[in-house]
Amino acid sequence: MKDASPTAPQKIYLSDYQVPNYLIDEVHLTFQLAPEATRVRSRITFRPNPDATSADFFLYGEQLTLISAQIDGAPVTPTHVNGGLTCDVPSAPFVWEAEVEISPATNTALEGLYMSNGMYCTQCEAEGFRKITYYPDRPDVMAVFTVRIESDLPVLLSNGNPVTSGDGFAEWHDPWPKPAYLFALVGGDLIAHPDRFTTKSGKDVELNIYVRPGDEGKCAFGMEALKKSMTWDEEVYGREYDLDIFNIVAVDDFNMGAMENKGLNIFNSSCVLASPETSTDMNFERIEAIIAHEYFHNWTGNRITCRDWFQLCLKEGLTVYRDAQFTADMRSEPVKRIEDVIALRARQFREDNGPLAHPVRPDSFVEINNFYTATVYEKGAELIGMLKTLVGDADYYKALDLYFDRHDGDAATIEDWLQVFEDVTGRDLSQFKRWYEQAGTPRLSVDEAFADGTYTLTFSQSTPATPGQDHKDPRVIPIAVGLLGADGNEVVPTTVLEMTEATQSFAFDGLSAKPVPSILRGFSAPVILERDSDNAERAFLLAHDTDPFNKWEAGRALARAGLVEMVLNNAAPDGDYLDAVLQVLRNDDLDPAFRALTLALPSQDDLAQTLVDLGHTPDPTAIYQALETLKMAMATHMQDVLPRIYAQYQVNEAYQPDAEQSGARSLANAALALISRTDGGAAAQAQYDSADNMTQQLAALGCLIMAGKGDAATAEFYDQWKEDRLVIDKWFALQISHAAPERAAEVAADLTQHVDFTMKNPNRFRATLGALAMSPAGFHRADGAGYALLADWLIQLDPLNPQTTARMCSAFETWKRYDSDRQALIAAQLDRILATPDLSRDTTEMVSRIRAS
Ligand SMILES: [Zn+2]
């Protein structure tokens, strides 16, 4: 029999946490794979938890057909309840055995065991294991797994080390106790890209990247990234790999980027497959970072896991922080920091400022899949960075050593995490903990005074109310400050001020004249700095600041100020900005990647939020027009220099996806984008025709579409790449993101009718509807066509794939920013989604939270 459908959405609270009633020592699973009738036999040794307050026995299970169940060899008839089953059990340790049937071929939610292009694979985080068998599917129940897979498929993989294999079967044993969310199984006709790694203690590890036949030429870069990650984690954190084998498998249909299952990482193929011809420099950088991220989870997530899903940031914040350190070490630290802050502001600040705001450690949820958010991940990582800044590097690594020593094998909490820092440093971190508990981005305002050689900075902090949290207490904010003299020389080097009060002053003595402050260097805290500054000072800092982040930030502030004037007052492009950015462009002493970032303008979404912060209602069309006008002004103002830059930064050596070459290409392509505004697309066409790598080809195609000359190249590109699904994803997304805003919804609608469009593949769905949602002027078209198109497709996708549907609903999270007409149009679409019969728990929660604001 099938269990009943889920009940009405129910909220789960952190404060209700109870230890598990039963613990598990060992799990034996046997899978007989068949597309629509896979049999899963489980044998689980349970024992009562001495710390439990109840003897109730409950196993989660969803979409399972129970064939039989036994306790200590005797058949039992469990009682099915919503979301699982209960049963009378002995008061002493006992063996539970069950056989269930599941249907991977019809599992379109891509959660549990499912099929993708004839291959079996799993995704169990957060609560997918309960779709495989009845189990106490919660992260604080950790067990040793032994898995037997029976199938005629040539490659059969699970976690841990291989035990034995033969005709039609394979057995795996994972000696490390793990929660069920780290379980993985793969069966398919796959090809391995093999390699080996020797750990620092001399242990030999077999490495494989498994892919579909035809993709074997796209594995070398991922393998190098894996080996670099393994070395880096040994050198920087002293963490060594702990199994005989490490496998990565590429899967086309995957909701997330990748998953850190113990010894068997499963990757969205877009996050591992790479070749110069088919991947851009950005793809390569992202792949390197994601491989590192999942590998680093082996210690921060797997060996030490989370007690419950409220603690998700314990593993994610720390691991994102570690992968950012890795990328900074492999590439450029300032460039990585700037890229991360752009992403943080675009995704996390936006979230923190809207109806979906929640603390880094949430205190309640309906569907945990909805909390794999920028707040948990990216703000979670910022918290680790602040902690490191506050305690210093030496104590940070001492605390981490203590964390690994003390909690290895544990399902831990944020309290455990902070305790190791308190024990190592003697600091009281109770105020710091507010960063985990309070949602919202703090606003930091600054007053300054200068008298008798003393310069005083007075900061005030406040955090706006967020859903469910009206009052916020002051937080600990590390503010990195440097002071510059009028000649541009630094008179006070970077100093970290530790702000703990609502309002607090810091004095600098012995100065001969009033300095220019460089505040929040390196973006030392995830706050919004509200400081009255003028363009002269911004231009001065852009020219002279020794802190690369604040140097870039000054240019960005200058651009933003000019754009706001253009939007609100129809001002002409700001000449100070054009001059300042021309100086940066010309300065060959500066890193080309840094210059490319400085040439890039704030996004439409960034400007919309800036206008809201200034008390205005943003007009998406006016913002788009201002950006277009400014880009044209830049193209004209710099037209003598741009061809020189474009020519100078062409890479003539063989393609390498390294920081140096990709920096040169990013600057040359930034120049090309401006040149294309005045040359009718001639330079872009030449680059398109001669490109031998995807970075150059795609950049040129984007410029041609923007210049209105892209039709032929768009058709050619499709013919060239129609067999490569990852390149065709780019082709879908680029046509929408580069379309004129008034046409973007039609372009997206037409592409949903294309023979290659399928909503069953999350990458393709995001490349189409996600690309529209991320093009503000097109998405927010005044007649609501963008809203209606997205809602139509979310309603269609929800019964197939609730996770991806729910995540994409965040396209509507900024709706309260806009005018009443647009708000009414969006409200109507949100209500239409909510009124859909049998809407998933995931989507119901997301749309309800957005609509309630
Ligand atoms: Zn992760």
Side-chain angles (χ1 to χ4, degrees), residues 355 812-819 823 826 850-853:
F812 292 114
E813 75 181 316
T814 56
W815 70 295
K816 287 283 179 170
R817 270 183 194 164
Y818 295 100
D819 54 85
Q823 285 193 30
I826 295 175
I850 294 168
R851 183 68 177 90
S853 60

Side-chain angles (χ1 to χ4, degrees), residues 402 406 414-424 429:
L402 180 59
R406 185 183 285 175
I414 289 303
E415 283 73 17
D416 295 329
W417 164 252
L418 291 174
Q419 188 66 48
V420 298
F421 282 85
E422 294 195 332
D423 290 352
V424 161
L429 291 174

Side-chain angles (χ1 to χ4, degrees), residues 125 258 260 293-294 297 300 315-316 319-320 377:
E125 187 177 359
E260 71 264 22
H293 178 94
E294 306 307 335
H297 267 314
T300 50
K315 75 177 178 79
E316 294 305 342
T319 306
V320 170
Y377 279 66

